[in-house]
Amino acid sequence: MSDTLIEDVADDRTLRHWTFTGAARVKFGSEAHKQMFCRMLLETHNPYKPAVLEWPTLEPDALERLCSLPIWDIAVQTEGRASINVHTYAAQVSDPLLREAIRMDGDEEARHKRVLSKLIAAYGIEIAPEPAYPAPRDPEWAWMRTGYSECIDSFFAFGLFRSAQQSGYFPESLVETFEPVIQEEARHILFFANWVAWHRRTMPLWRRPWHALRVLAIWAVLIWERVAIAKGIDANGVVHDSNFLPANSSVIGEALNAREMIELCLAENERRMSGYDARLLRPKLVPALARLALRFMKSSRRPGTPP
């Protein structure tokens, strides 16, 4: 096993590139559609083991930057809740292939938590004691809330991670070690977007209005949570440092303004999705809102550059 999450070029290509070998035309909501998005997740799985990762030695300034990020408590707890939410929903799914794929999703969420735990231990990062992660009472609600939450967070994580790499905020050795975890999140939201489309089309007509209301309620909850986190309060009401973005965006973001950061998020989202079968639905809402926001922002052209 190598000291990164990818052992060789072939493993990396398997993670990032996949094409469905079934029917040429795939109708959303069909059996072929279900086969396609389930097989995508299962066949691009990378079976690395966090316990054998060798985290690179960091220079003192890089170690200080890493340890000072006020994100580790929320990151670990988010993955912990995600894994129990996904596993609980998988246990009630009757379709064997779909259950296997969703269980794989949950296993990868649990593995992300273990990767974060290993990183925290390797670099001596202090975090608050973890809370319990009880199984949700409404498994489908918890599964959808997790999926939509990842659609929001992953979109911005793609851009921030790329920006941190470009600016040198994270050393290249650490980026290479952690990079496949970010790509796994791209697979998760791609799988979820297609599950949503398939689920809507296969449920009875009388259930669809209620399902739509539940989705709207989930989005309302997620927006409220992110406003609270931006103010320094997490989803459990615990106060955290709210100065992360103001204090660090100019360093992590290589002095990018808001427009440039959104443009980078859009470009990274496209890049990370580009290797998967074009017949798969892509998450649309967050990128669409980002493009809408760009219409109301000033041009990112810097002084002295030609128009």
Side-chain angles (χ1 to χ4, degrees), residues 65-81:
R65 290 196 299 271
L66 185 72
C67 294
S68 66
L69 293 176
I71 62 172
W72 302 116
D73 300 274
I74 294 177
V76 170
Q77 292 176 29
T78 296
E79 297 293 356
R81 283 192 296 270

Side-chain angles (χ1 to χ4, degrees), residues 155-156 158-160 162 166 256-271 287 290-291 293-295 297-302:
F155 176 80
F156 293 103
F158 297 157
L160 286 171
R162 179 63 170 165
Q166 292 175 338
L256 299 182
N257 59 37
R259 182 183 180 88
E260 291 169 329
M261 179 56 70
I262 291 177
E263 290 174 337
L264 182 59
C265 289
L266 285 166
E268 281 297 291
N269 182 71
E270 175 64 26
R271 183 179 70 85
R291 293 187 184 93
L294 288 178
R295 298 179 62 182
M297 293 182 176
K298 294 181 179 180
S299 171
S300 60
R301 183 169 61 88
R302 297 179 182 275

